[in-house]
Protein backbone atom coordinates (compact mmCIF):
# COMPACT_ATOMS: atom_id res chain seq x y z
CA UNK A 1 0.00 0.00 0.00
CA UNK A 2 1.55 3.30 -1.09
CA UNK A 3 2.58 5.68 1.51
CA UNK A 4 1.09 9.17 1.47
CA UNK A 5 3.88 11.54 1.95
CA UNK A 6 2.70 14.89 2.99
CA UNK A 7 3.94 17.83 0.97
CA UNK A 8 5.92 20.29 2.95
CA UNK A 9 4.13 23.51 3.64
CA UNK A 10 5.26 26.30 1.28
CA UNK A 11 4.84 28.80 4.03
CA UNK A 12 7.58 27.30 6.19
CA UNK A 13 10.43 26.34 3.92
CA UNK A 14 12.97 27.02 6.66
CA UNK A 15 11.37 24.42 8.88
CA UNK A 16 10.84 21.55 6.44
CA UNK A 17 13.71 22.23 4.05
CA UNK A 18 11.41 23.02 1.08
CA UNK A 19 12.08 26.03 -1.19
CA UNK A 20 9.55 27.65 -3.58
CA UNK A 21 9.85 27.28 -7.36
CA UNK A 22 12.07 30.07 -8.63
CA UNK A 23 11.95 29.09 -12.35
CA UNK A 24 8.89 31.42 -12.97
CA UNK A 25 9.09 35.18 -12.56
CA UNK A 26 7.18 36.38 -9.56
CA UNK A 27 3.87 38.23 -10.14
CA UNK A 28 3.31 36.91 -13.72
CA UNK A 29 -0.36 36.18 -13.10
CA UNK A 30 -0.89 39.63 -11.67
CA UNK A 31 0.77 41.21 -14.72
CA UNK A 32 -1.56 39.31 -17.05
CA UNK A 33 -4.58 40.39 -15.05
CA UNK A 34 -3.45 44.03 -15.02
CA UNK A 35 -2.89 43.97 -18.81
CA UNK A 36 -6.33 42.48 -19.45
CA UNK A 37 -7.90 45.09 -17.20
CA UNK A 38 -6.12 47.91 -19.08
CA UNK A 39 -7.27 46.57 -22.47
CA UNK A 40 -10.86 46.30 -21.20
CA UNK A 41 -10.65 49.86 -19.89
CA UNK A 42 -9.45 51.20 -23.28
CA UNK A 43 -12.20 49.30 -25.15
CA UNK A 44 -14.83 50.65 -22.77
CA UNK A 45 -13.59 54.22 -23.23
CA UNK A 46 -13.60 53.97 -27.03
CA UNK A 47 -17.12 52.52 -27.00
CA UNK A 48 -18.38 55.24 -24.68
CA UNK A 49 -16.91 57.97 -26.91
CA UNK A 50 -18.48 56.46 -30.02
CA UNK A 51 -21.87 56.18 -28.35
CA UNK A 52 -21.70 59.73 -27.02
CA UNK A 53 -20.93 61.10 -30.52
CA UNK A 54 -23.84 59.39 -32.30
CA UNK A 55 -26.74 61.17 -30.55
CA UNK A 56 -25.08 64.53 -31.12
CA UNK A 57 -24.73 63.85 -34.86
CA UNK A 58 -28.33 62.69 -35.06
CA UNK A 59 -29.53 65.79 -33.22
CA UNK A 60 -27.47 67.99 -35.51
CA UNK A 61 -29.00 66.30 -38.56
CA UNK A 62 -32.50 66.77 -37.16
CA UNK A 63 -31.76 70.43 -36.43
CA UNK A 64 -30.39 70.99 -39.94
CA UNK A 65 -33.32 69.21 -41.58
CA UNK A 66 -35.90 71.20 -39.67
CA UNK A 67 -34.13 74.58 -39.83
CA UNK A 68 -36.20 77.19 -41.74
CA UNK A 69 -34.86 78.69 -44.93
CA UNK A 70 -35.21 82.01 -46.70
CA UNK A 71 -37.11 84.73 -44.85
CA UNK A 72 -38.21 82.33 -42.07
CA UNK A 73 -34.59 81.52 -41.23
CA UNK A 74 -34.01 85.15 -40.38
CA UNK A 75 -36.75 84.97 -37.76
CA UNK A 76 -35.44 81.72 -36.24
CA UNK A 77 -33.05 81.40 -33.29
CA UNK A 78 -29.45 82.33 -33.76
CA UNK A 79 -26.89 84.93 -32.79
CA UNK A 80 -25.85 86.19 -36.21
CA UNK A 81 -27.84 86.38 -39.42
CA UNK A 82 -26.20 87.00 -42.76
CA UNK A 83 -29.44 87.15 -44.70
CA UNK A 84 -29.62 90.06 -47.15
CA UNK A 85 -32.64 92.31 -46.50
CA UNK A 86 -35.11 92.65 -49.34
CA UNK A 87 -35.15 95.76 -51.50
CA UNK A 88 -38.67 96.66 -50.34
CA UNK A 89 -37.62 96.49 -46.69
CA UNK A 90 -34.54 98.64 -47.35
CA UNK A 91 -36.32 101.38 -49.27
CA UNK A 92 -39.53 101.46 -47.23
CA UNK A 93 -37.95 103.48 -44.44
CA UNK A 94 -38.55 103.21 -40.74
CA UNK A 95 -41.65 104.08 -38.79
CA UNK A 96 -42.00 105.30 -35.23
CA UNK A 97 -39.66 103.59 -32.82
CA UNK A 98 -37.32 102.39 -35.58
CA UNK A 99 -39.71 99.72 -36.90
CA UNK A 100 -40.81 99.39 -40.50
CA UNK A 101 -43.11 102.09 -41.77
CA UNK A 102 -46.79 101.16 -41.80
CA UNK A 103 -47.28 103.12 -45.02
CA UNK A 104 -45.51 100.47 -47.05
CA UNK A 105 -48.13 98.94 -49.31
CA UNK A 106 -47.96 95.44 -50.81
CA UNK A 107 -47.60 94.92 -54.51
CA UNK A 108 -50.86 95.73 -56.30
CA UNK A 109 -53.07 92.85 -57.29
CA UNK A 110 -53.87 92.81 -61.02
CA UNK A 111 -57.41 93.86 -61.69
CA UNK A 112 -59.77 91.36 -63.27
CA UNK A 113 -59.78 93.46 -66.39
CA UNK A 114 -56.17 92.48 -67.16
CA UNK A 115 -56.29 88.74 -67.11
CA UNK A 116 -53.65 87.91 -69.71
CA UNK A 117 -50.77 89.05 -67.52
CA UNK A 118 -48.28 86.67 -69.07
CA UNK A 119 -46.37 89.35 -70.99
CA UNK A 120 -45.24 92.71 -69.72
CA UNK A 121 -45.45 95.91 -71.72
CA UNK A 122 -42.29 96.28 -73.81
CA UNK A 123 -39.73 98.63 -72.29
CA UNK A 124 -37.95 101.47 -73.98
CA UNK A 125 -35.17 99.05 -74.96
CA UNK A 126 -37.57 96.89 -76.99
CA UNK A 127 -37.29 96.97 -80.80
CA UNK A 128 -39.00 99.87 -82.48
CA UNK A 129 -42.61 99.23 -83.45
CA UNK A 130 -45.16 101.26 -85.44
CA UNK A 131 -46.90 103.77 -83.18
CA UNK A 132 -48.66 106.44 -85.30
CA UNK A 133 -52.37 105.96 -85.81
CA UNK A 134 -53.44 104.80 -89.26
CA UNK A 135 -56.47 106.36 -90.95
CA UNK A 136 -59.72 104.46 -90.48
CA UNK A 137 -61.25 102.81 -93.56
CA UNK A 138 -63.67 105.03 -95.47
CA UNK A 139 -66.44 102.42 -95.64
CA UNK A 140 -67.71 100.78 -92.43
CA UNK A 141 -68.10 97.34 -94.08
CA UNK A 142 -64.75 95.89 -94.99
CA UNK A 143 -62.78 92.70 -95.35
CA UNK A 144 -59.17 92.21 -94.28
CA UNK A 145 -56.59 90.60 -96.55
CA UNK A 146 -53.13 89.35 -95.60
CA UNK A 147 -50.10 91.11 -97.06
CA UNK A 148 -47.88 88.04 -97.44
CA UNK A 149 -50.83 85.76 -98.40
CA UNK A 150 -52.74 88.07 -100.67
CA UNK A 151 -55.31 85.42 -101.64
CA UNK A 152 -56.36 84.85 -98.01
CA UNK A 153 -58.77 86.88 -95.89
CA UNK A 154 -59.88 87.01 -92.28
CA UNK A 155 -62.64 84.45 -91.92
CA UNK A 156 -64.72 83.43 -88.87
CA UNK A 157 -64.90 79.63 -88.66
CA UNK A 158 -66.38 77.83 -85.63
CA UNK A 159 -65.98 80.95 -83.52
CA UNK A 160 -62.28 81.43 -84.31
CA UNK A 161 -60.74 83.80 -86.86
CA UNK A 162 -58.60 82.18 -89.54
CA UNK A 163 -56.81 83.28 -92.67
CA UNK A 164 -58.66 81.45 -95.47
CA UNK A 165 -58.99 81.83 -99.24
CA UNK A 166 -62.00 83.76 -100.42
CA UNK A 167 -65.03 81.53 -100.99
CA UNK A 168 -68.63 82.04 -101.98
CA UNK A 169 -71.94 82.15 -100.13
CA UNK A 170 -71.87 82.28 -96.34
CA UNK A 171 -68.06 82.20 -96.32
CA UNK A 172 -67.99 85.68 -97.87
CA UNK A 173 -70.37 86.96 -95.18
CA UNK A 174 -68.13 85.47 -92.50
CA UNK A 175 -65.22 87.36 -94.04
CA UNK A 176 -66.96 90.73 -93.98
CA UNK A 177 -66.93 92.98 -90.91
CA UNK A 178 -68.36 96.31 -89.88
CA UNK A 179 -65.72 98.73 -88.63
CA UNK A 180 -67.07 100.66 -85.61
CA UNK A 181 -65.45 103.01 -83.06
CA UNK A 182 -63.56 101.06 -80.44
CA UNK A 183 -65.68 99.78 -77.55
CA UNK A 184 -62.98 100.82 -75.06
CA UNK A 185 -61.37 103.69 -77.01
CA UNK A 186 -63.29 105.53 -79.73
CA UNK A 187 -60.01 106.70 -81.25
CA UNK A 188 -59.37 103.06 -82.17
CA UNK A 189 -61.71 100.49 -83.75
CA UNK A 190 -63.69 97.31 -83.16
CA UNK A 191 -64.83 94.78 -85.76
CA UNK A 192 -68.39 93.45 -85.71
CA UNK A 193 -69.57 90.41 -87.64
CA UNK A 194 -72.77 90.18 -89.68
CA UNK A 195 -74.59 88.39 -86.83
CA UNK A 196 -73.67 91.05 -84.24
CA UNK A 197 -70.65 89.44 -82.59
CA UNK A 198 -67.34 91.22 -82.07
CA UNK A 199 -63.81 90.07 -82.73
CA UNK A 200 -61.95 89.94 -79.42
CA UNK A 201 -58.82 88.24 -78.13
CA UNK A 202 -59.13 85.70 -75.35
CA UNK A 203 -56.13 83.64 -74.23
CA UNK A 204 -54.35 85.68 -76.95
CA UNK A 205 -56.43 84.00 -79.67
CA UNK A 206 -58.77 86.07 -81.88
CA UNK A 207 -62.37 84.86 -81.87
CA UNK A 208 -65.92 86.11 -82.46
CA UNK A 209 -68.07 86.42 -79.33
CA UNK A 210 -71.15 88.22 -78.08
CA UNK A 211 -70.60 91.43 -76.14
CA UNK A 212 -71.26 90.70 -72.47
CA UNK A 213 -71.17 94.40 -71.55
CA UNK A 214 -68.06 94.11 -69.38
CA UNK A 215 -65.16 96.54 -69.56
CA UNK A 216 -62.84 93.59 -70.11
CA UNK A 217 -64.72 92.54 -73.22
CA UNK A 218 -64.58 96.12 -74.54
CA UNK A 219 -60.80 96.27 -74.13
CA UNK A 220 -60.30 92.80 -75.60
CA UNK A 221 -62.34 93.84 -78.65
CA UNK A 222 -60.59 97.19 -79.27
CA UNK A 223 -57.57 97.54 -81.53
CA UNK A 224 -55.61 100.54 -82.76
CA UNK A 225 -54.58 100.58 -86.41
CA UNK A 226 -50.91 101.42 -86.98
CA UNK A 227 -49.16 101.85 -90.34
CA UNK A 228 -47.54 98.52 -91.15
CA UNK A 229 -43.84 98.84 -92.01
CA UNK A 230 -44.04 95.72 -94.20
CA UNK A 231 -46.14 97.32 -96.95
CA UNK A 232 -47.38 100.76 -97.89
CA UNK A 233 -51.07 101.28 -97.18
CA UNK A 234 -51.28 98.22 -94.89
CA UNK A 235 -52.06 98.37 -91.18
CA UNK A 236 -51.09 96.46 -88.05
CA UNK A 237 -53.70 96.15 -85.30
CA UNK A 238 -52.37 96.73 -81.78
CA UNK A 239 -54.27 95.62 -78.67
CA UNK A 240 -55.56 98.38 -76.38
CA UNK A 241 -55.11 96.47 -73.13
CA UNK A 242 -51.83 94.87 -74.23
CA UNK A 243 -49.74 97.61 -75.87
CA UNK A 244 -46.90 96.08 -77.86
CA UNK A 245 -48.96 93.04 -78.90
CA UNK A 246 -50.28 92.94 -82.45
CA UNK A 247 -52.65 90.64 -84.29
CA UNK A 248 -50.70 88.32 -86.59
CA UNK A 249 -51.42 85.06 -88.35
CA UNK A 250 -49.60 81.89 -87.39
CA UNK A 251 -50.51 78.59 -89.03
CA UNK A 252 -53.29 80.70 -90.63
CA UNK A 253 -54.86 81.43 -87.23
CA UNK A 254 -55.13 84.99 -85.93
CA UNK A 255 -53.58 85.56 -82.51
CA UNK A 256 -52.11 88.36 -80.37
CA UNK A 257 -48.32 88.19 -80.13
CA UNK A 258 -45.66 90.60 -78.82
CA UNK A 259 -43.88 92.67 -81.42
CA UNK A 260 -40.77 91.01 -82.86
CA UNK A 261 -38.07 92.78 -84.84
CA UNK A 262 -38.17 90.35 -87.76
CA UNK A 263 -39.34 90.55 -91.36
CA UNK A 264 -41.57 87.49 -90.87
CA UNK A 265 -43.41 89.04 -87.92
CA UNK A 266 -43.88 92.35 -89.73
CA UNK A 267 -45.30 90.55 -92.77
CA UNK A 268 -47.54 88.26 -90.70
CA UNK A 269 -48.99 91.24 -88.81
CA UNK A 270 -49.69 93.41 -91.87
CA UNK A 271 -53.20 93.49 -93.39
CA UNK A 272 -55.14 95.58 -95.86
CA UNK A 273 -58.74 96.77 -95.55
CA UNK A 274 -60.45 95.85 -98.82
CA UNK A 275 -63.89 96.09 -100.27
CA UNK A 276 -66.33 93.71 -98.54
CA UNK A 277 -66.40 90.22 -99.97
CA UNK A 278 -70.13 89.98 -99.22
CA UNK A 279 -72.33 92.31 -101.31
Amino acid sequence: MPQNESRPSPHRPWEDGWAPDTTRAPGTRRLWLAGALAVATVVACVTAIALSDRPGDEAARRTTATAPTGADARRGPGLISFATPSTAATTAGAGPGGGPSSSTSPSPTPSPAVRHSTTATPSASSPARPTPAAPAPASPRRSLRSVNYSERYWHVSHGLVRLDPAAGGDARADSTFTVVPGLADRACLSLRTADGRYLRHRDFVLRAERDDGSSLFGRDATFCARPAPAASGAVSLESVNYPGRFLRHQDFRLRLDPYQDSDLYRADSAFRFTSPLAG
Side-chain angles (χ1 to χ4, degrees), residues 33-249:
L33 290 176
L37 182 59
V39 172
T41 302
V42 172
V43 171
C45 292
V46 172
T47 305
I49 293 173
L51 291 178
S52 64
D53 287 342
R54 290 181 60 186
D57 293 341
E58 185 65 25
R61 285 195 294 270
R62 287 198 300 268
T63 304
T64 304
T66 57
T69 59
D72 292 339
R74 294 195 294 271
R75 294 193 296 266
L79 296 179
I80 301 177
S81 172
F82 295 97
T84 302
S86 63
T87 305
T90 304
T91 59
S101 173
S102 59
S103 61
T104 304
S105 59
S107 58
T109 304
S111 63
V114 185
R115 66 163 178 249
H116 309 305
S117 57
T118 55
T119 303
T121 302
S123 62
S125 61
S126 300
R129 57 180 176 82
T131 53
S139 173
R141 296 182 69 248
R142 309 291 279 175
S143 294
L144 286 101
R145 185 179 65 197
S146 170
V147 165
N148 53 352
Y149 288 89
S150 57
E151 78 286 356
R152 289 178 177 263
Y153 294 78
W154 286 24
H155 175 238
V156 178
S157 177
H158 302 289
L160 300 178
V161 183
R162 294 180 48 84
L163 202 63
D164 291 334
D170 294 338
R172 286 182 174 266
D174 291 336
S175 296
T176 302
F177 310 97
T178 301
V179 181
V180 299
L183 299 180
D185 185 350
R186 296 183 64 83
C188 299
L189 60 88
S190 295
L191 298 171
R192 189 174 64 223
T193 64
D195 59 2
R197 293 178 293 173
Y198 286 87
L199 303 188
R200 59 88 60 99
H201 67 83
R202 180 159 58 84
D203 298 326
F204 300 127
V205 176
L206 191 63
R207 59 192 78 214
E209 293 184 354
R210 297 285 179 184
D211 184 4
D212 59 9
S214 66
S215 59
L216 174 62
F217 185 97
R219 287 190 291 271
D220 287 350
T222 303
F223 304 93
C224 295
R226 313 294 187 192
S232 176
V235 297
S236 295
L237 297 177
E238 183 180 18
S239 170
V240 162
N241 52 351
Y242 283 91
R245 282 182 177 263
F246 293 80
L247 291 174
R248 59 88 59 95
H249 67 81

